[in-house]
Amino acid sequence: LSGQWRTARVAQRLAALGLAGALMAAAVPSLAQALSLRDDPRRPRWRQGYAFLKEQLRPGDAVLAAVPLSAHHYLGAPATHTFNGGEFDRREKAPKNAEGFSLDWYAGLPMVHTKETFERVYARHPRGWIVTNRGRFNDDAHTEPGLREYILAHCRAYHPIAGSTTVYVFGWDRTP
């Protein structure tokens, strides 16, 4: 009986090793794909854009982030506003804060998605920053043409100074 028990135990262990090997082999293509995507030059380089911003940031600056979680991750602090709220197409139903800004459904931050909302932030904050990616900024579905034109006319473009051409960093400074 002990010989049969040993044989069964060895078979169980071999089956477990085979399953583990199969799972690892299945994970290798996914891991390889993830690593290749990380180096894809078309993907936004949030880290570089926020590293530049972290050096420039002062207390009281407005930070408008296309992806608020990236601001929180790379700056260690939340953005003050979301930028490019167009992908949700629920702005008219979104809750509003005391200042009348629509709130982002996911981050809970005020959304800047029109020229008018940007003008309000621009008037209230003497300094501020916009961090977005090239695709969202140049796509009319995500950034209204009037808003894009206003930003290009009133803000300084810091990309590729920020170290990337996939992430756009804009800033304004009206401090004395």
Side-chain angles (χ1 to χ4, degrees):
L1 231 126
S2 68
Q4 289 175 341
W5 183 81
R6 273 193 193 130
T7 303
R9 190 79 172 139
V10 167
Q12 284 178 339
R13 288 185 179 165
L14 286 174
L17 283 172
L19 179 62
L23 289 173
M24 287 174 51
V28 168
S30 299
L31 180 60
Q33 183 182 15
L35 290 174
S36 69
L37 285 176
R38 194 188 90 208
D39 295 330
D40 185 342
R42 296 166 298 184
R43 287 178 47 94
R45 298 288 186 245
W46 300 113
R47 178 178 297 148
Q48 289 91 333
Y50 282 110
F52 171 80
L53 181 55
K54 199 169 192 175
E55 292 175 5
Q56 308 298 320
L57 202 59
R58 293 186 199 160
D61 285 0
V63 176
L64 289 65
V67 180
L69 187 59
S70 64
H72 198 273
H73 178 75
Y74 291 116
L75 290 177
T80 58
H81 299 80
T82 61
F83 183 75
N84 298 338
E87 62 267 39
F88 300 115
D89 199 29
R90 299 184 195 123
R91 291 185 298 249
E92 62 279 349
K93 296 179 184 175
K96 298 199 182 297
N97 67 6
E99 299 169 353
F101 281 96
S102 297
L103 298 176
D104 178 82
W105 288 90
Y106 301 104
L109 295 172
M111 287 193 286
V112 175
H113 53 82
T114 64
K115 179 182 174 218
E116 293 74 25
T117 55
F118 181 74
E119 286 173 330
R120 289 170 53 197
V121 173
Y122 186 84
R124 176 169 286 162
H125 295 274
R127 278 177 46 101
W129 302 94
I130 302 166
V131 183
T132 187
N133 63 314
R134 178 179 52 221
R136 287 183 186 193
F137 187 75
N138 291 322
D139 182 5
D140 291 351
H142 295 283
T143 305
E144 294 180 357
L147 173 58
R148 185 172 38 252
E149 291 165 12
Y150 189 86
I151 289 168
L152 292 172
H154 293 86
C155 297
R156 178 175 175 197
Y158 287 93
H159 51 275
I161 297 169
S164 175
T165 57
T166 59
V167 171
Y168 282 3
V169 179
F170 296 96
W172 69 90
D173 185 353
R174 296 186 321 276
T175 58

